[in-house]
Amino acid sequence: MKPVQLLLILGTAGVLLSYLAFFRSKLLDRLVGLLLVLVAWFSILFPEYTTVVAHLLGVGRGVDLIFYFFGLFTAFALILLYTQGRTHSQQLTELIRHLAIRDALVSPGAREQPAAAALPRDS
Amino acid sequence: MSDASFPAPGSPPPQTWVVIPAYNEGEAIRGVVEELLARGYPVVVVDDGSRVPLLEVLRGTAVHLLRHVINLGQGAALQTGIRYALERGAEVIVTFDADGQHQSADIPALTAPIRAGRADVALGSRFLLGGQAVHISRSKRAVLKLAVVFTRWTTGLDVTDTHNGLRALSRKGAQTLHITQNGMAHASQILQQIAAYRLAFAEVPVTVVYTEYSVRKGQRLTNAFNILWDSFAELFYR
């Protein structure tokens, strides 16, 4: 085994373990994660097979195929994160709005409606 | 002074509330608030997380003071103030800038179409015949005109001024609009929603005075690009 293979396998194992440990995700998600890591290990240990798949898809080298998919995956993940961030900011907005309305300071004498006193006296 | 915002004696006064979004306002807001109070309007100030809480500046004024504990943006502050006014039973809601560039004397004419039941949204226009933009810079006028062309094209609304903070809403209009653009793109969003929900709207000529303070407090023209981007991004969150 080449040193780089060992590094990559240890790295992916670390990612998988932290995913399983830190995220209380659904069983299906965990299985998908596990499957992805198994595929990763297989392509790390037998890189020549990625080239076979690449040829099937019309790409010259397995490394290139993985690179393309990496780009696609990253873009997808970014959009997912952006959407999540937006959802969170909307929730935060609602929370802050709720607090602002709940804790409104109404000065003594603040009007609830246009006061009759503002009407001209002679009318 | 006769104030046309109030109907003839005998009929109950319309519940016209004024909502002012404010962020880091110093000099001008107190005068703005006092003038509105003197005209008899209930005033809601939404302090959008100012560094120095506006409570200090506004102490002693008879306002409803709301505070966002975190700065969210003018759109969010408007929506908060509008919801509060609705909860308090407002029949007509006027949105008003904190920096002193709007004239409280314009409110009666602005709310007239609402009170008459002819419109659910009345938009103040500084470019309509009879309206005025005092001391406006040439570049600002150009960018605003460009925004008008863009808005006419995207919403199909026949408007002459798109980014004026002086507006009036009927209760129905206020309940229908829901501003989710926390930043400055809310102005475009309001117009988009007027078009989408087919709200009856009217434009009313108003005067906007660009004081040295309001220009300094106001937006940079380059922010137009951010607004465009926010509006564009919104398309993907329907």
Side-chain angles (χ1 to χ4, degrees):
Chain A
M1 188 188 284
K2 292 173 190 141
V4 67
Q5 288 176 314
L6 186 66
L7 279 175
L8 287 173
I9 286 175
L10 285 177
T12 42
V15 170
L16 179 68
L17 283 179
S18 34
Y19 173 70
L20 294 179
F22 297 134
F23 294 92
R24 296 182 151 272
S25 42
K26 283 176 274 183
L27 181 65
L28 182 70
D29 290 350
R30 292 173 167 228
L31 288 176
V32 168
L34 187 66
L35 187 74
L36 280 175
V37 170
L38 288 177
V39 171
W41 285 347
F42 182 79
S43 10
I44 291 165
L45 292 172
F46 311 103
E48 58 277 13
Y49 284 99
T50 61
T51 303
V52 175
V53 180
H55 282 169
L56 284 176
L57 292 171
V59 178
R61 290 190 308 168
V63 181
D64 290 334
L65 182 72
I66 289 171
F67 179 71
Y68 299 152
F69 274 108
F70 176 74
L72 204 64
F73 180 78
T74 308
F76 180 70
L78 269 178
I79 291 171
L80 205 71
L81 278 175
Y82 189 70
T83 313
Q84 270 180 1
R86 197 184 149 88
T87 308
H88 288 158
S89 83
Q90 279 173 346
Q91 288 168 337
L92 188 66
T93 297
E94 275 311 310
L95 177 65
I96 293 171
R97 180 164 294 143
H98 178 81
L99 290 175
I101 292 174
R102 193 195 67 180
D103 299 340
L105 292 175
V106 183
S107 310
R111 295 194 180 89
E112 291 288 329
Q113 52 183 295
L119 288 166
R121 291 257 176 232
D122 56 355
S123 66
Chain B
M1 182 194 68
S2 75
D3 191 335
S5 72
F6 297 110
S11 57
Q15 296 250 42
T16 301
W17 286 57
V18 178
V19 170
I20 306 177
Y23 177 57
N24 288 343
E25 299 290 342
E27 316 153 35
I29 189 168
R30 197 182 168 94
V32 170
V33 165
E34 281 172 346
E35 197 181 315
L36 289 164
L37 289 172
R39 283 179 180 270
Y41 299 110
V43 175
V44 182
V45 174
V46 183
D47 177 358
D48 191 20
S50 301
R51 278 192 301 278
V52 180
L54 279 175
L55 182 61
E56 295 307 317
V57 188
L58 293 175
R59 200 174 283 285
T61 56
V63 291
H64 300 254
L65 181 60
L66 279 59
R67 179 170 162 86
H68 285 167
V69 291
I70 298 173
N71 174 246
L72 292 175
Q74 196 182 62
L78 276 174
Q79 183 63 49
T80 299
I82 289 169
R83 186 180 298 175
Y84 178 82
L86 281 174
E87 284 181 10
R88 292 281 174 143
E91 293 297 333
V92 181
I93 297 173
V94 173
T95 66
F96 206 87
D97 281 3
D99 59 10
Q101 61 176 328
H102 293 151
Q103 316 301 308
S104 61
D106 280 333
I107 293 179
L110 182 72
T111 55
I114 309 272
R115 286 180 283 117
R118 280 190 285 113
D120 287 310
V121 186
L123 306 166
S125 171
R126 66 207 119 173
F127 301 127
L128 206 62
L129 189 67
Q132 260 187 305
V134 181
H135 303 310
I136 189 172
S137 68
R138 206 173 285 178
S139 55
K140 184 146 194 131
R141 182 184 289 271
V143 170
L144 285 169
K145 291 280 188 185
L146 211 63
V148 169
V149 172
F150 181 76
T151 306
R152 279 167 173 255
W153 176 56
T154 51
T155 65
L157 294 179
D158 186 21
V159 289
T160 60
D161 193 355
T162 53
H163 287 72
N164 189 351
L166 183 54
R167 308 179 187 86
L169 309 168
S170 69
R171 191 172 174 82
K172 180 192 158 199
Q175 284 167 334
T176 307
L177 296 178
H178 47 97
I179 304 169
T180 59
Q181 285 280 11
N182 283 0
M184 294 310 293
H186 69 269
S188 312
Q189 191 181 32
I190 287 172
L191 292 161
Q192 282 155 10
Q193 291 185 2
I194 290 172
Y197 297 113
R198 297 174 199 282
L199 289 171
F201 80 99
E203 273 197 313
V204 177
V206 298
T207 299
V208 176
V209 180
Y210 291 87
T211 61
E212 190 269 330
Y213 173 79
S214 77
V215 170
R216 183 153 44 82
K217 266 296 293 178
Q219 297 194 71
R220 291 172 173 276
L221 291 174
T222 44
N223 202 29
F225 293 103
N226 294 333
I227 292 174
L228 266 180
W229 167 252
D230 284 347
S231 300
F232 177 71
E234 184 73 17
L235 294 176
F236 296 99
Y237 294 100
R238 290 280 159 81

